[in-house]
């Protein structure tokens, strides 16, 4: 068989068929939107071999193929024009529409939305500045739909404000939101009076009851006019004129009403026809037809067959009672059909009546005790018979039901509990009454008696009948007086009510003992409170609080006094205002200044306005303390000092304190913390010339109690050659950035005032005695002693200890200093040189001046001076030789003088001949065994100088030089050097110091001997 496609319902070769097996397949892409939902193919099957007739046999069949749609097209907008039966629609994105201002309804824009897909769901939305004024219809569609814009907010369509608006209508494929199309709609808002009033209906069918009173409104019918100028300006008129005998219309409201009700008789005429005309402000008319039908009225009421009904029933029984009524209105009409009912009353809910048959029954069990006792079990119902006319007419008949009582109730209290109050201290005082009743309505069943359980026997109760049941009157026992201040202020009683058959009920009665307002109020401690200085807040900053033991009180606070703590003393003030309710406020007329007053004490009295007896105020006044909190509103203030600051340039190294400043800040706490800083250093020399310096000083901030101290220290060694004073500017800054400045004068003491003191003690010993030396020097000079150097004067390479040189400055508080001559003069005072001698002071001299650099211009002068120095050296040498000969002779005389006083018994106890190496006079210096004329031997005749005689007489001077024993004398001897030259002699500091200086050029240590044979008188 060979298969072929012979025909297709669509053009093109969308399908193909296998010639051998007849399988049909798609030959090209299919577009359902182009070819439709179905395609019919005519398929032919032909035999491959001819038949006996030589023909190829074949047959055909139709194959219908259904094209399944997929969502592959977005929704599109179309603009449709032309006749409605054959509109021409083209794809468009721009649409226009017009609308009269304040018009409701749709706006025609000739828009249609279409999705070519078979299964589609298109959602329409609006965008634009005025989108909220409109809505799009339909909001969602599944077919080709005409799109309309509806006015949602016609009140915003104001021609005077908006003449044109642009909206975007967005069509979105709900199944595939990426498929969306937007169309722009331009709406023009128009304003024109080109519409006549129109009524919503062409004909109105109205009804009114016959004989309706004049003025009865039948209906209010109004016309509509889209023109804004016609709003509320339409007038109405009823035509023809003859209709005005019966009906008329309000010309402004359109209300049609009855003009003459007496003429409206349905039996004479049941239908009236009229034309209602409406005119706008332009006179354009609009009309509608009114058909007014008169309806019959119900003017006959039902009538009961009896004037009243009476029935007796026990309260636990049931009954049925037939009520019958008739109506004279037309039979089988609504006006004659009767409906039975019961007028609402106090007990009508206990009964029901069949509305059609009129059978009256009780609903549930009847309870006589539920009835008002005044009724004595008698219930009166009003049964109504009402026809179904319009308006309905009705009649009533009384039905009396007597409910007979049975004893089926127990006593009941009116309240679930009772609470009473009674004043203390009143015997027999009435407390209150409890009420109970037994709902049984016979005296045999409802009589009640009361009793009390609890109350510690403090209360009694009396029973009595009242209009509604029985009353139990509770009162305090006449023999007992309640005490509020006692242990019980509250009582809980159980009151029991019992009827004659022993049925009981109980209730809880709470009795509160009321305190008489006779207690004085008392203050409760409050505060202290804190308020910032300079505050202007109007609210409360503190308060007084008091309590009153009485239950009912009204406390008022009154100011007694107000004092402020100013400079640690209390003075009256008015910084705050006390309100009657106890609140404390800042007095706006006063300024709070912490630096003037830092605390306020307010004393007040509290008064109880409700006091019934006794004192109404507190026994003691209340006090509230308000602390004024400091704020940073004061700059630091330097404290003036008369001190003179002096610095010894040589002793000033890194960190040396040379001065100090002090400052305070009137603020407190963190606000009063001060930090010092050196901000400027200048120097004024002796010629009053000022120059700027780098910051040679720094300020270290410390604190002494409430005063801040700035220690001025050097940041590096000072220039030793400067003479004058430093001007140091110190700034004091608090934590708030407020600052103050002061300038310190620091006087300099240059090295020309340095004094060199020579001590016989070792360097280590001088260091140990340093404090004693300073005290002694201070006492002698009345000056501050500043030691800058302590050094040994011996050979550093020798193990023997030499003298010690102490370099020091002597400075007075006013900045002046002593030079070496002035120091020597003050130390020579007898009251000081003994102490200094014991400490080893040997010599006073001026410290050597540092060598100054000489310029080349002075070299010539130095050469000229050199010759003069040579001459002076020769003269000095000659003088020294003569002097040494004299010293030798003087030394021998001293030895002779000492030997002549020796006690021979002690001669072998030690070396008794000073200056010799002999223990006795034998073999010693021969001059000691001779009767020597000292004047002759020493070449001292009568013409000798007084100085030489004084030197010899000085041997008799009494001085204690022994630092190791009290009575011994430490005599220092010096041997001659190897060169045979006598040692150099140094004059004593005073007559008491007979010490010899170390031989010039000798490294030998001094040797001393203690000679017990001599005393101070011998010397």
């Amino acid at each position: 068989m060979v298969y072929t496609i012979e025909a297709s319902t669509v053009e093109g070769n969308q399908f193909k068929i296998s010639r051998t097996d007849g399988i049909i397949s798609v030959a090209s892409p299919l577009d359902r939107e182009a070819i439709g939902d179905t395609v019919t193919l005519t398929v032919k099957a032909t035999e491959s071999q001819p038949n006996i007739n030589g023909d190829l046999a074949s047959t055909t069949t139709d194959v219908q193929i259904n094209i399944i749609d997929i969502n592959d097209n977005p929704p599109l907008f179309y603009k449709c024009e032309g006749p409605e039966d054959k509109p021409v629609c083209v794809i468009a994105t721009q649409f226009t529409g017009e609308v009269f201002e304040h018009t409701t309804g749709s706006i025609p824009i000739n828009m249609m939305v279409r999705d070519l897909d078979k299964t589609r769901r298109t959602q329409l939305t609006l965008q634009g500045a005025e989108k909220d004024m409109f809505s799009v219809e339909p909001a969602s569609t599944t077919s080709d739909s005409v799109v309309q814009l509806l006015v949602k907010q016609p009140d915003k369509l104001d021609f005077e404000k908006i003449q044109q608006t642009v909206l975007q209508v967005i069509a979105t494929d709900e199944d595939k939101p990426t498929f969306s199309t937007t169309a722009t709609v331009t709406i023009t808002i128009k304003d024109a009076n080109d519409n006549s009033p129109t009524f919503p209906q062409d004909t109105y069918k109205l009804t009114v009851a016959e004989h309706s009173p004049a003025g009865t409104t039948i209906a209010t019918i109004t016309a509509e006019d889209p023109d804004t100028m016609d709003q509320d300006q339409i007038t109405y008129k009823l035509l023809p004129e003859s209709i005005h005998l019966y009906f008329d219309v309000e010309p402004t409201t359109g209300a049609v009403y009855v003009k003459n009700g007496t003429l409206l008789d349905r039996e004479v005429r049941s239908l009236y026809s009229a034309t209602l005309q409406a005119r706008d402000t332009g006179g354009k008319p609009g009309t509608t037809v009114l058909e007014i039908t008169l309806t019959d009225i119900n003017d006959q009421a039902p009538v009961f067959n009896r004037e009243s009904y009476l029935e007796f029933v026990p309260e636990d029984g049931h009954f049925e009672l037939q009520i019958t009524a008739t109506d004279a209105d037309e039979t089988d009409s609504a006006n004659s059909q009767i409906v039975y009912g019961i007028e609402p009353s106090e007990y009508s809910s206990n009964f029901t009546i069949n509305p059609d048959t009129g059978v009256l029954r009780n609903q549930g069990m009847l309870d006589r005790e539920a009835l008002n006792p005044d009724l004595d079990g008698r219930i009166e119902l009003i049964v109504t018979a009402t026809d179904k006319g319009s308006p309905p007419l009705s009649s009533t008949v009384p039905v009396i039901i007597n409910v007979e009582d049975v004893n089926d109730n127990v006593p009941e209290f009116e309240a679930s509990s009772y609470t009473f109050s009674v004043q203390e201290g009143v015997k027999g005082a009435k407390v209150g009454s409890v009420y109970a009743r037994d709902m049984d309505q016979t005296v045999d069943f409802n009589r009640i008696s009361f009793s009390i359980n609890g109350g510690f026997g403090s209360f009694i109760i009396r029973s009595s009948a009242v209009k509604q049941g029985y009353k139990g009157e509770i009162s305090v026992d006449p023999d007992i007086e309640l005490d509020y201040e006692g242990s019980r202020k509250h009582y809980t009683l159980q009151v029991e009510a019992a009827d004659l058959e022993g049925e009981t009920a109980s209730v809880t009665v709470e009795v509160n003992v009321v305190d008489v307002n006779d207690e004085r109020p008392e203050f409760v401690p409050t505060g202290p409170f804190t308020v910032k200085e300079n505050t202007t807040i109007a609210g409360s900053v503190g308060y007084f609080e008091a309590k009153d033991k009485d239950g009912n009180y009204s406390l008022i606070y009154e100011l007694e006094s107000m004092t402020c703590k100013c400079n640690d003393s209390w003075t009256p003030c008015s910084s705050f205002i006390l309100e009657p309710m106890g609140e404390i406020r800042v007095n706006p007329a006063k300024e709070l200044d912490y630096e003037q007053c830092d605390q306020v004490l307010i004393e007040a009295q509290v008064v109880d306005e409700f006091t019934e007896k006794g004192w109404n105020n507190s026994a003691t006044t209340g006090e509230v303390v308000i602390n004024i909190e400091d704020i940073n509103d004061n700059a630091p203030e330097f404290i003036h000092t008369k001190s003179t600051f002096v610095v010894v340039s040589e002793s000033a190294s890194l960190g040396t304190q040379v001065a100090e400043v002090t400052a305070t800040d009137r603020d407190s706490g963190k606000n009063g913390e001060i930090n010092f800083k050196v901000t400027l250093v200048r120097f004024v020399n002796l010629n009053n010339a000022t120059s700027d310096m780098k910051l040679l000083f720094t300020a270290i901030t410390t604190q002494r109690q409430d005063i801040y101290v700035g220690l001025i220290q050097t940041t590096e060694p000072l220039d030793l050659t400067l003479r004058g004073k430093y001007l140091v500017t110190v700034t004091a800054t608090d934590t708030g950035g407020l600052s103050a400045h002061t300038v310190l004068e620091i006087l300099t003491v240059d090295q020309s005032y340095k004094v060199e003191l020579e001590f016989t003690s070792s360097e280590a010993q001088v260091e140990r005695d340093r404090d004693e030396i300073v005290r002694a020097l201070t006492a002698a000079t009345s000056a501050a002693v500043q030691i800058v150097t302590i050094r040994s004067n011996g050979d550093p390479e020798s193990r023997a200890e030499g003298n010690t040189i102490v370099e020091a400055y002597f400075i007075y508080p006013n900045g002046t200093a002593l030079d070496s001559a002035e120091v020597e003069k003050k130390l020579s005072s007898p009251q000081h040189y003994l102490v200094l001698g014991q400490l080893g002071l040997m010599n006073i001299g001026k410290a050597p001046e540092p060598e100054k650099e000489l310029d080349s211009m002075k070299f010539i002068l130095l050469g000229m001076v050199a010759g003069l120095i040579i001459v002076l050296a020769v003269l000095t040498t000659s003088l020294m030789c003569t002097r040494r000969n004299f010293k030798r002779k003087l030394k021998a005389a001293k030895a002779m003088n000492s030997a002549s006083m020796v006690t021979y018994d002690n001669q072998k106890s030690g070396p008794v001949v000073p200056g010799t190496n002999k223990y006795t006079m034998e073999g010693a210096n021969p001059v000691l065994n001779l009767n020597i004329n000292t004047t002759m031997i020493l070449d001292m005749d009568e013409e000798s100088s007084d100085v030489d005689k004084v030197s010899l007489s000085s041997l008799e001077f009494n001085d204690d030089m022994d630092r190791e024993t009290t009575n011994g004398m430490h005599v220092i001897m010096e041997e001659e050097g190897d060169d045979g030259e006598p040692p150099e002699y140094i004059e004593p500091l005073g007559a008491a110091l007979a010490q010899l200086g170390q031989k010039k050029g000798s490294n030998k240590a001094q040797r001393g001997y203690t000679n017990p044979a001599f005393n101070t008188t011998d010397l």
Side-chain angles (χ1 to χ4, degrees):
M1 299 294 289
V2 177
Y3 300 94
T4 58
I5 297 176
E6 295 300 316
S8 175
T9 57
V10 296
E11 296 181 357
N13 298 322
Q14 283 83 9
F15 300 95
K16 61 183 178 179
I17 189 169
S18 174
R19 294 177 60 83
T20 57
D21 54 14
I23 295 176
I24 300 174
S25 60
V26 177
S28 62
L30 301 179
D31 186 1
R32 188 200 66 83
E33 288 75 23
I35 65 178
D37 292 330
T38 61
V39 175
T40 302
L41 302 177
T42 301
V43 179
K44 180 179 181 181
T46 305
E47 293 183 353
S48 61
Q49 300 297 327
N51 58 17
I52 58 175
N53 296 321
D55 297 328
L56 296 176
S58 64
T59 185
T60 60
T61 186
D62 290 336
V63 178
Q64 180 175 328
I65 300 175
N66 294 322
I67 307 301
I68 301 174
D69 186 31
I70 63 173
N71 192 356
D72 58 349
N73 289 279
L76 297 174
F77 291 103
Y78 293 83
K79 181 179 292 185
C80 299
E81 297 179 350
E84 293 183 0
D85 55 345
K86 292 183 179 180
V88 178
C89 298
V90 295
I91 297 175
T93 59
Q94 299 291 331
F95 297 86
T96 60
E98 294 182 350
V99 61
F100 288 98
E101 58 180 337
H102 305 298
T103 300
T104 60
S106 62
I107 302 174
I109 57 177
N110 293 332
M111 177 186 287
M112 184 180 72
V113 63
R114 173 183 296 169
D115 191 328
L116 298 179
D117 294 321
K118 182 177 183 180
T119 302
R120 65 265 182 128
R121 288 188 300 173
T122 303
Q123 181 182 23
L124 296 174
T125 58
L126 283 179
Q127 291 293 332
E130 287 82 22
K131 66 176 183 177
D132 294 336
M133 296 168 56
F134 304 91
S135 64
V136 60
E137 288 292 337
S140 179
T141 180
T142 58
S143 61
D144 298 346
S145 300
V146 174
V147 179
Q148 293 183 337
L149 294 181
L150 301 181
V151 178
K152 288 173 56 179
Q153 299 174 344
D155 55 323
K156 293 186 178 180
L157 284 178
D158 190 350
F159 178 80
E160 285 71 26
K161 295 181 180 180
I162 303 174
Q163 288 77 40
Q164 190 177 77
T165 182
V166 178
L167 302 175
Q168 288 78 38
V169 180
I170 301 174
T172 303
D173 191 328
E174 293 185 6
D175 295 328
K176 196 170 184 179
T178 56
F179 284 174
S180 65
T181 303
T182 301
T184 301
V185 180
T186 302
I187 300 175
T188 301
I189 301 172
K190 300 179 66 178
D191 182 24
N193 186 6
D194 56 354
N195 292 283
S196 298
T198 59
F199 289 94
Q201 299 178 21
D202 294 335
T203 301
Y204 290 87
K205 293 184 178 181
L206 307 178
T207 61
V208 64
E210 60 177 327
H211 303 302
S212 293
T216 300
T217 300
I218 302 172
T220 300
I221 302 173
T222 58
E224 297 177 353
D225 193 322
D227 299 329
T228 57
M229 64 287 296
D230 294 331
Q231 296 296 321
D232 299 327
Q233 300 297 324
I234 298 176
T235 58
Y236 301 92
K237 184 177 181 181
L238 203 60
L239 299 174
E241 293 291 336
S242 59
I243 199 66
H244 292 171
L245 292 174
Y246 311 99
F247 306 99
D248 207 347
V249 64
E250 288 289 340
T252 58
T253 63
V256 179
Y257 62 91
V258 175
K259 192 170 184 180
N260 190 344
T262 59
L263 298 179
L264 298 179
D265 187 351
R266 182 180 179 279
E267 286 69 27
V268 176
R269 184 179 177 183
S270 62
L271 180 64
Y272 295 86
S273 180
T275 300
L276 180 62
Q277 184 186 72
R279 288 184 180 271
D280 62 11
T281 57
K284 295 179 180 180
T287 61
T288 187
V289 176
L290 304 181
E291 292 183 358
I292 304 174
T293 301
L294 299 181
T295 61
D296 192 15
I297 62 174
N298 185 19
D299 54 356
Q300 296 294 324
V303 177
F304 288 97
N305 59 356
R306 294 169 61 180
E307 292 184 357
S308 64
Y309 293 86
L310 178 63
E311 188 74 16
F312 291 88
V313 59
E315 61 177 324
D316 55 353
H318 295 274
F319 79 98
E320 290 185 0
L321 179 63
Q322 178 66 54
I323 307 296
T324 304
T326 60
D327 194 310
D329 287 327
E330 183 180 357
T331 306
D332 298 329
S333 68
N335 293 335
S336 62
Q337 295 179 5
I338 298 174
V339 176
Y340 296 94
I342 303 174
E343 287 188 355
S345 62
E346 185 177 2
Y347 305 108
S348 62
S349 60
N350 296 320
F351 303 90
T352 62
I353 190 170
N354 190 304
D356 298 324
T357 64
V359 176
L360 179 67
R361 298 181 179 90
N362 61 315
Q363 182 173 291
M365 299 292 293
L366 296 178
D367 186 2
R368 176 168 174 165
E369 287 71 33
L371 304 180
N372 187 337
D374 295 339
L375 299 177
D376 195 22
R378 184 174 182 270
I379 299 176
E380 181 175 348
L381 299 178
I382 302 298
V383 176
T384 62
T386 306
D387 61 25
K388 296 182 179 180
S390 179
L393 299 178
S394 64
S395 300
T396 61
V397 65
V399 178
I400 308 301
I401 302 170
N402 289 316
V403 180
E404 298 177 346
D405 186 29
V406 295
N407 188 8
D408 57 351
N409 291 278
V410 297
E412 294 180 357
F413 284 94
E414 288 187 358
S416 60
S417 63
Y418 294 87
T419 301
F420 302 115
S421 297
V422 60
Q423 288 188 344
E424 61 174 326
V426 180
K427 295 181 178 181
K430 181 180 178 181
V431 176
S433 299
V434 297
Y435 295 88
R437 62 183 298 184
D438 191 318
M439 299 304 295
D440 295 326
Q441 301 208 346
T442 60
V443 177
D444 295 337
F445 299 143
N446 62 14
R447 184 174 180 177
I448 298 174
S449 61
F450 297 95
S451 61
I452 294 178
N453 295 323
F456 302 94
S458 301
F459 303 91
I460 60 175
I461 188 168
R462 295 182 177 89
S463 302
S464 61
V466 292
K467 184 177 181 181
Q468 298 292 335
Y470 287 81
K471 177 178 72 173
E473 185 172 317
I474 303 172
S475 60
V476 179
D477 192 302
D479 298 330
I480 295 177
E481 183 177 293
L482 300 180
D483 184 7
Y484 179 83
E485 286 72 27
S487 59
R488 301 193 65 84
K489 299 179 176 62
H490 177 82
Y491 294 88
T492 300
L493 310 179
Q494 291 295 326
V495 176
E496 186 177 88
D499 62 13
L500 296 180
E501 293 186 354
E503 299 293 337
T504 62
S506 62
V507 70
T508 300
V509 177
E510 305 286 344
V511 179
N512 296 314
V513 180
V514 177
D515 182 27
V516 176
N517 193 337
D518 57 355
E519 297 290 336
R520 304 181 73 169
E522 298 176 355
F523 277 98
V524 176
T526 58
F529 302 101
T530 301
V531 62
K532 294 182 181 296
E533 64 173 324
N534 302 331
T535 185
T536 57
I537 60 175
S540 173
V541 298
Y543 59 90
F544 279 91
E545 183 179 355
K547 62 181 181 179
D548 196 315
K549 295 179 180 179
D550 299 321
N552 184 26
Y553 57 86
S554 175
L555 302 182
I556 297 298
Y557 298 86
E558 300 174 351
L559 180 66
E560 290 289 318
S561 66
M562 185 182 303
T563 56
C564 294
K565 184 181 179 182
C566 306
N567 298 323
D568 294 330
S569 63
W570 293 92
T571 58
C573 61
S574 57
S575 301
F576 296 91
I577 298 173
L578 176 61
E579 300 291 346
M581 300 308 295
E583 291 185 346
I584 302 173
R585 304 181 185 274
V586 177
N587 188 347
K590 300 295 181 180
E591 181 179 0
L592 300 180
D593 189 350
Y594 173 85
E595 287 70 35
Q596 293 183 0
C597 303
D598 59 0
Q599 197 175 66
V600 179
L601 176 63
I602 302 176
E603 188 176 3
Q605 182 64 265
V606 59
V607 177
D608 185 358
E609 293 183 324
F610 292 170
T611 299
E612 298 175 89
K613 63 180 181 179
W615 296 92
N616 67 343
N617 60 344
S618 61
T620 59
T621 57
E623 294 182 350
V624 166
V625 175
I626 300 180
N627 295 316
I628 310 300
E629 185 176 339
D630 185 29
I631 63 173
N632 192 0
D633 59 345
N634 291 279
E637 298 177 358
F638 282 96
I639 301 175
H640 177 69
T641 178
K642 296 182 179 180
S643 300
T644 301
F645 301 112
V646 183
V647 60
V648 178
S649 300
E650 182 178 359
S651 64
S653 59
L654 176 63
T656 301
Q657 180 178 337
V658 297
E660 71 176 28
V661 293
T662 55
T664 59
D665 194 314
R666 298 178 64 189
D667 297 320
S668 64
K670 294 291 289 186
N671 297 329
E673 294 181 1
I674 299 175
N675 183 58
F676 295 97
K677 183 179 181 181
V678 175
T679 56
L680 179 64
V681 177
R682 309 184 74 190
F683 187 80
V684 181
N685 61 20
L686 299 180
N687 296 324
N688 289 328
T690 304
S691 60
D692 292 334
M693 306 288 289
K694 61 181 180 179
L695 296 180
L696 300 173
F697 304 93
T698 186
I700 305 300
T701 303
T702 61
Q703 189 175 4
R704 298 175 188 158
Q705 296 180 351
D706 295 334
I707 298 177
Y708 283 84
V709 180
L711 304 179
I712 310 304
Q713 298 180 354
T714 56
T715 59
E716 60 182 67
L718 302 179
D719 190 345
L720 306 182
T721 62
L722 292 179
R723 296 186 179 185
K725 59 184 177 181
Y726 292 97
L727 301 181
V728 180
T729 301
V730 180
T731 301
T733 307
D734 62 17
T735 55
L738 303 178
S739 61
H741 310 276
T742 188
V743 178
L744 298 179
E745 291 188 358
I746 302 178
L747 306 177
T748 62
V749 177
D750 61 90
Q751 59 187 355
S752 64
Y753 291 96
K754 182 165 62 176
V755 178
E756 188 176 274
L757 305 176
E758 184 175 1
F759 287 82
T760 58
S761 307
S762 64
E763 182 179 352
Q765 184 63 39
V766 171
E767 286 287 359
R768 287 193 294 269
D769 296 339
R770 180 179 183 133
D771 293 341
E772 294 186 32
I773 293 172
V774 171
R775 284 195 295 270
L777 293 174
T778 301
T781 61
S782 299
V785 179
Q786 190 171 128
I787 296 176
V788 295
T789 305
I790 298 177
R791 56 183 173 82
S792 176
N793 199 27
D795 187 355
E797 298 179 357
S798 173
R799 293 187 298 174
E801 296 183 357
N803 293 345
T804 301
I805 301 300
V806 176
E807 295 179 352
Y809 290 86
F810 295 81
I811 307 167
Y812 284 114
N814 61 0
T816 60
L818 299 176
D819 57 20
S820 59
E822 293 171 333
V823 171
E824 183 176 1
K825 181 178 179 181
K826 290 183 178 292
L827 296 185
S828 298
S829 174
Q831 60 183 1
H832 300 299
Y833 68 72
L834 290 177
V835 176
L836 292 170
Q838 291 178 358
L839 295 174
L841 180 59
M842 176 181 174
N843 186 29
I844 302 174
K846 183 177 181 182
E849 294 284 350
E851 295 183 359
K852 298 182 180 179
E853 295 183 0
L854 300 178
D855 55 21
S856 59
M857 298 298 295
K858 296 181 180 180
F859 287 162
I860 299 175
L861 294 177
L862 291 177
M864 296 175 62
V865 174
L868 180 59
I869 292 175
I870 295 173
V871 175
L872 292 177
V874 173
L875 294 177
T876 301
T877 303
S878 176
L879 180 60
M880 290 298 294
C881 291
T882 304
R883 185 64 174 173
R884 286 173 182 171
N885 186 35
F886 172 78
K887 289 179 180 179
R888 188 180 302 111
K889 293 177 182 180
L890 179 60
K891 187 174 182 182
K894 288 169 61 180
M896 181 192 68
N897 188 34
S898 298
S900 63
M901 300 177 185
V902 175
T903 303
Y904 290 92
D905 294 338
N906 298 327
Q907 288 177 353
K908 294 183 179 180
S909 61
V912 298
V913 182
T916 70
N917 59 353
K918 302 297 181 180
Y919 293 96
T920 64
M921 288 187 296
E922 288 81 5
N925 196 333
V927 298
L928 295 178
N929 296 327
L930 301 178
N931 186 8
I932 301 174
N933 187 337
T934 57
T935 304
M936 178 185 66
I937 296 302
L938 298 178
D939 296 333
M940 294 181 183
D941 53 10
E942 294 177 358
E943 296 178 357
S944 300
S945 67
D946 294 336
V947 176
D948 295 333
K949 293 179 181 179
V950 170
S951 298
L952 181 58
S953 299
S954 65
L955 296 174
E956 302 297 333
F957 194 84
N958 181 14
D959 190 12
D960 184 5
M961 295 299 297
D962 189 1
R963 292 191 298 270
E964 296 178 1
T965 64
T966 303
N967 298 322
M969 172 61 194
H970 192 82
V971 181
I972 299 176
M973 306 295 294
E974 180 147 348
E975 297 181 355
E976 295 183 0
D978 296 338
D979 55 0
E981 292 293 329
E984 181 181 356
Y985 179 76
I986 300 177
E987 286 290 344
L989 176 61
L993 302 177
Q995 299 180 5
L996 298 179
Q998 187 176 5
K999 184 169 106 176
K1000 185 183 247 184
S1002 174
N1003 294 326
K1004 296 180 181 180
Q1006 297 173 346
R1007 292 181 295 179
Y1009 306 92
T1010 301
N1011 191 344
F1014 295 107
N1015 56 30
T1016 55
T1017 303
D1018 296 333
L1019 291 178

